[in-house]
Amino acid sequence: MSNIIRVGVLGFGGLGQAAARVLAPKSEMILVAAADKKGYVYNPEGLDPNTCITTYNSQGSVGHVKHGGVLSNDSIADLIENSNVDGFFLALPNLPNTFMADVTRQFVKSGWKGVLVDALKRTSAMEQIFTLRDDVKDAGITYMTGCGATPGLLTAAASVAAQSYAEIHSVKITFGVGIANWEAYRATIREDIAHMPAFDVEKARAMTDAEVEALLDETNGIISLENMEHADDVMLEMAGICSRDQVTVGGIVDTRNPKKPLSTNVQVTGRTFEGKLSTHTFTLGDETSMAANVCGPAFGYLKTGVWLQKQGLSGIFTAAEMMPRFVR
Amino acid sequence: MSNIIRVGVLGFGGLGQAAARVLAPKSEMILVAAADKKGYVYNPEGLDPNTCITTYNSQGSVGHVKHGGVLSNDSIADLIENSNVDGFFLALPNLPNTFMADVTRQFVKSGWKGVLVDALKRTSAMEQIFTLRDDVKDAGITYMTGCGATPGLLTAAASVAAQSYAEIHSVKITFGVGIANWEAYRATIREDIAHMPAFDVEKARAMTDAEVEALLDETNGIISLENMEHADDVMLEMAGICSRDQVTVGGIVDTRNPKKPLSTNVQVTGRTFEGKLSTHTFTLGDETSMAANVCGPAFGYLKTGVWLQKQGLSGIFTAAEMMPRFVR
């Protein structure tokens, strides 16, 4: 049992629930902890994802789970104190931009040592994380940031693709997302709406479900996004690949159809040492869901983080500079 | 100057020469050493690639270069002893299969500590390298293997792509190579011929240039390859992504046309946690040459190797488990 990585998931909305399902068949990782706003559940023998999901959806918190559930108004701090976890996936909303950094400060303050992984999207939220660089390193925490789909999977692919070129001219990420029922991804959809013209983070966050519904009625369920604030830009800049203004992220979200409106891809354009201009393209299969493309990489980077911890390397690392490791 | 990585290139055929050209504009790396069968050249102030290439092509060895050139029948051992190099790119022929491992033994024996990077292609040659795992680690050498195009760039892309899936069904690499004049890549072309039906390593190696020419006349300059023995298979197996028999490598080499006969790509097919079958595809731009796709990643991995060395991590690592770092 000692080599099995004990995992916790913070946040139990659509992403946290998908994360629990992704972990279920793994032999190298076991889900032992989960927390939401109102409580947490911890069981060193492992959690049953279906029980957690049913309980959360029917009673509003995993704190109601019979074995190991605890209701708490300070669920994250209480879970850190009362659990033995190697790594946490922070499946928390990006908003407000300081939220993930605040949670990280809780970990630093607690004296906990282990691996944290986020799937942060916004540049400004990731910059909040970077301000904690020294604190995280000194605390002995290995923090993997930007480890979802984009940033994450596509940023890593862009880092690999860049290798053929002497100079990078542009990195263009275009994503297609199809979801049958946006209600399962309330926080994520509001983050997407915040990127739309005439919206911002506060405005999107304040919307009621009925208002979101009315907006989506106007657009036939489509959210079309250009020049999004995505942390791929700062990650690729920090990796020395290009400047952040050479990175663009856009996409189309269809909130009424599980079929993707276009194939998600990243195009890396550059000049080779011989002076040739060319473009490498990494394209995701349409059948892969947002949940698969976010949670898979997140746990892949969690495994990398555990390896880094074993080597004594703490601090903040991004998906652009580390290879995710496959979790069986 | 102290942060600039001092690089040596062993082997000065087509690949070694391209490596010298790739390095020329870099600010983070400087080429200070090169060796071929008959000699070496070392200059801590940096080597001029054109001088080295012209000298090699006209006089048969970089040992004839005026400043720093030395003729030697034991050029690698002599260069190791008489130089100060952070990392060597082993741009040596893959054949015979034990050659790269023999060179590695020389480094181990010499007491040299630093980074070695190869662009090995054959599984059996890489398995020779793996037998040296403990020796390399104990010697304090950080050895990055399989760090060219395939294996290398495409293997790394496959590792990233695998993250979306709970289970990998196949990794299929198909390459297209176009070269205007095969004479510049004599060793590489013989390695390709060795993969053809009715040929093997010894037979291909023993061919005269005229015999290669005659063979290529028969096929109109096309070398078509299926189920090649490529080390991507063992690298992906070691990374726990799939078993080696799920990895296939094939391609078409046009020895008379710089235009690629097809776009080089890797397709990773798997099943997501929800049970969906899908395929991610990473496709290289046609305008990128073999030299750009091999040398770029090789130096990216050399930079990663230097980082690993600084962290005190020696041993053998593959392109499937480490992210290459972009070299400015």
Side-chain angles (χ1 to χ4, degrees), chain B residues 246-258:
Chain B
Q246 290 169 303
V247 182
T248 53
V249 179
I252 295 177
V253 180
D254 188 340
T255 59
R256 295 183 177 174
N257 195 335

Side-chain angles (χ1 to χ4, degrees), chain B residues 117-148:
Chain B
V117 176
D118 74 40
L120 270 182
K121 284 194 279 191
R122 283 184 176 265
T123 306
S124 48
M126 194 176 288
E127 283 172 333
Q128 293 291 324
I129 296 293
F130 289 142
T131 65
L132 304 175
R133 195 178 286 278
D134 293 341
D135 295 338
V136 165
K137 193 176 170 64
D138 294 345
I141 292 169
T142 303
Y143 192 115
M144 316 296 293
T145 189
C147 297

Side-chain angles (χ1 to χ4, degrees), chain A residues 18 21-22 25-26 152-157 159-168 237-242 272-274 276-293 295-301 303 307-308 311 313 317 319-328, chain B residues 18 21-22 25-26 152-157 159-168 237-242 272-274 276-293 295-301 303 307-308 311 313 317 319-328:
Chain A
R21 288 199 203 279
V22 166
K26 303 282 187 197
L153 187 65
L154 295 185
T155 334
S159 276
V160 171
Q163 298 297 320
S164 297
Y165 300 99
E167 183 181 276
I168 301 303
E237 183 172 272
M238 279 178 49
I241 290 168
C242 57
T272 68
F273 75 103
E274 306 106 321
K276 301 277 187 185
L277 289 182
S278 193
T279 301
H280 288 353
T281 308
F282 180 68
T283 308
L284 302 186
D286 283 346
E287 302 80 5
T288 57
S289 62
M290 186 173 68
N293 290 323
C295 297
F299 291 121
Y301 281 107
K303 187 174 173 185
W307 178 78
L308 289 167
Q311 310 305 323
L313 300 178
F317 300 91
E321 57 191 0
M322 286 292 150
M323 184 66 86
R325 299 197 164 196
F326 194 72
V327 185
R328 280 158 292 184
Chain B
R21 287 198 202 279
V22 166
K26 303 281 187 197
L153 187 65
L154 294 183
T155 335
S159 275
V160 171
Q163 298 295 320
S164 297
Y165 300 99
E167 185 181 276
I168 301 303
E237 183 172 274
M238 279 178 51
I241 290 168
C242 57
T272 68
F273 75 102
E274 306 106 321
K276 301 276 186 187
L277 289 182
S278 194
T279 301
H280 288 352
T281 308
F282 180 68
T283 308
L284 302 187
D286 283 347
E287 300 81 5
T288 58
S289 63
M290 186 172 70
N293 291 322
C295 297
F299 291 121
Y301 281 108
K303 187 175 173 184
W307 179 78
L308 289 166
Q311 309 304 322
L313 300 176
F317 300 90
E321 57 191 0
M322 286 291 150
M323 183 67 85
R325 300 197 165 196
F326 193 72
V327 184
R328 281 160 291 183

